[in-house]
Amino acid sequence: MLKAMVVVGAGLSGATAARILAEAGYKVLVIERLKHVAGHCYDYKHETGITVHSYGPHIFHTNNKEVWDFVNRFSPFVYYQHRVLSYVDGRLIPFPINRDTIAQLFGIELSTYEVEEFLEKEVKKSRYNDPPKNFRDVVVSQVGERLYEAFFKNYTIKQWGRDPEELSPEVARRIPVRTNRDDRYFSDKYQGIPKYGYTKMVERMLEHENISLLLGVDYFEVRDLFKPKLTVYTGELDRFFDYVHGELEYRSLRLELVEMDQEYYQPVAVVNYPNDYDWTRITEYKYFLNEKSSRTVVHFEYPLAKGEPYYIVMTRENMERREKYMKEVEKLEKTGEYLFIGRLAEYKYYNMDQVIEAAMEKIKERLK
Ligand code: UDP
């Protein structure tokens, strides 16, 4: 008889892990520090009837059919294609960079072929390391210094509180550059927003006779009470090991919720502010589920150095420290008694679908 298993964290990684284990016949105890499930994709219905994402905008997108089928078991999804505008030189310009971005910023009409030539010329005039060594190099090698400075440089300084040359190339690779007129933020095959919200979706993932849930309980205060067969840990990596290799940095946010007595505030769900103001972006939530109200609610997003851990910070120092922790993780995972899954526990800049995929793969491997 296998003993019960413990999952630490009821976010997407924890809920996926718990569900797969429960469906495989194991008893699972999920322990969550916060007083709610769904981790950082937690959302709720605001009094205007608009669904607000408490920890900032979450748009589900994936190319992985298995992941898409999995989430669709727990919630219907509303069709939504994310479009972002960037406030540059007092104008709202389509972002990520595509043919229309260049047309609007420079006031020139170019064909797709001419956009390619234009970007080549921009890159040729620019200085960067080849192959790229950092965030700046990746962007400048694709679009040149002028576009880098208009859209990326100051946003990145604001968001991460450091020079883009200190950040890993991987951060920049999240953002595509297109020479056609596709102005969607993501080009994945499957995209959408859970119709009744992420919280509901995660609640349904956790609704299983083999799953018990403890909310508002810090695992580190109770872990001596359990001797589980398997512990799936999804919290901060450095905390698990009592910071033996030093603290890993996590970037946080302050989200200021503003309710407005007008139907719409901005023309799309997200507007980025690279060069002006202290916030990085404004999200207007009613667009995600096309919710109707005579009022609107938006989040102003201000990056913070300390607080609830939202982002890992991909500098060389942090990634080297991560390696030391990951060696410890490997040792523990080899015993078969632990798995580390998710953005915080693997210290990886995962998207939601990648978190689910990682949980699926790791649990399946463990259950073999
Ligand atoms: N970024 C930028 N300008 C923008 C949007 C993004 O320079 O208008 C950079 C910035 O460094 C940001 C990174 O690209 O942190 C990744 O952007 P993404 O939209 O994926 O950030 P997330 O949604 O994860 O906050």
Side-chain angles (χ1 to χ4, degrees), residues 57 84-86 95 135 139 148 151-157 159-160 167 171-172 174-175 185-186 253 272-274 280-281 301 311 343 349 351:
V84 171
L85 296 171
S86 187
F95 184 85
F135 179 99
V139 178
Y148 164 72
F151 292 98
F152 292 90
K153 183 179 170 187
N154 296 322
Y155 187 105
T156 299
I157 293 172
Q159 165 69 10
W160 301 103
L167 291 169
V171 180
R174 294 173 62 81
I175 312 287
Y185 210 69
F186 308 110
L253 296 174
N272 289 354
Y273 287 81
T280 47
R281 56 187 175 192
E301 201 166 316
Y311 293 96
R343 199 188 253 216
Y349 197 167
N351 290 325

Side-chain angles (χ1 to χ4, degrees), residues 169-184:
E170 261 185 69
V171 180
R173 294 201 178 101
R174 294 173 62 81
I175 312 287
V177 174
R178 305 197 185 98
T179 49
N180 62 18
R181 301 191 64 188
D182 183 357
D183 63 346
R184 292 171 307 158

Side-chain angles (χ1 to χ4, degrees), residues 87-91 154 158 272-280:
Y87 182 79
V88 173
D89 294 342
R91 287 175 295 164
N154 296 322
K158 234 195 280 189
N272 289 354
Y273 287 81
N275 308 314
D276 303 274
Y277 306 106
D278 292 332
W279 56 79
T280 47

Side-chain angles (χ1 to χ4, degrees), residues 160-171:
W160 301 103
R162 54 219 322 151
D163 194 300
E165 292 183 48
E166 288 174 53
L167 291 169
S168 156
E170 261 185 69
V171 180

Side-chain angles (χ1 to χ4, degrees), residues 85-86 88-89 91-95 98-109 151 181 183:
L85 296 171
S86 187
V88 173
D89 294 342
R91 287 175 295 164
L92 294 178
I93 298 181
F95 184 85
N98 63 77
R99 193 172 135 186
D100 288 330
T101 313
I102 289 163
Q104 291 180 32
L105 189 72
F106 299 110
I108 42 175
E109 270 306 331
F151 292 98
R181 301 191 64 188
D183 63 346

Side-chain angles (χ1 to χ4, degrees), residues 171-263:
V171 180
R173 294 201 178 101
R174 294 173 62 81
I175 312 287
V177 174
R178 305 197 185 98
T179 49
N180 62 18
R181 301 191 64 188
D182 183 357
D183 63 346
R184 292 171 307 158
Y185 210 69
F186 308 110
S187 48
D188 301 54
K189 191 163 172 185
Y190 310 104
Q191 306 190 34
I193 309 282
K195 187 167 179 188
Y196 306 108
Y198 289 98
T199 310
K200 264 271 156 310
M201 179 178 91
V202 174
E203 275 170 7
R204 292 210 42 208
M205 287 166 78
L206 293 167
E207 264 166 37
H208 190 285
E209 56 181 6
N210 286 343
I211 299 179
S212 310
L213 176 63
L214 263 183
L215 286 179
V217 175
D218 186 341
Y219 164 73
F220 293 96
E221 285 171 9
V222 298
R223 70 168 157 185
D224 293 343
L225 301 173
F226 311 109
K227 261 255 159 260
K229 174 87 184 158
L230 172 70
T231 300
V232 178
Y233 180 74
T234 72
E236 291 111 292
L237 174 59
D238 52 355
R239 183 162 185 220
F240 186 93
F241 295 102
D242 216 9
Y243 310 99
V244 276
H245 300 300
E247 281 189 32
L248 287 163
E249 215 179 327
Y250 299 91
R251 193 89 177 141
S252 193
L253 296 174
R254 177 170 73 82
L255 292 146
E256 189 185 321
L257 189 76
V258 180
E259 189 183 330
M260 293 174 183
D261 200 9
Q262 63 194 74
E263 199 180 355

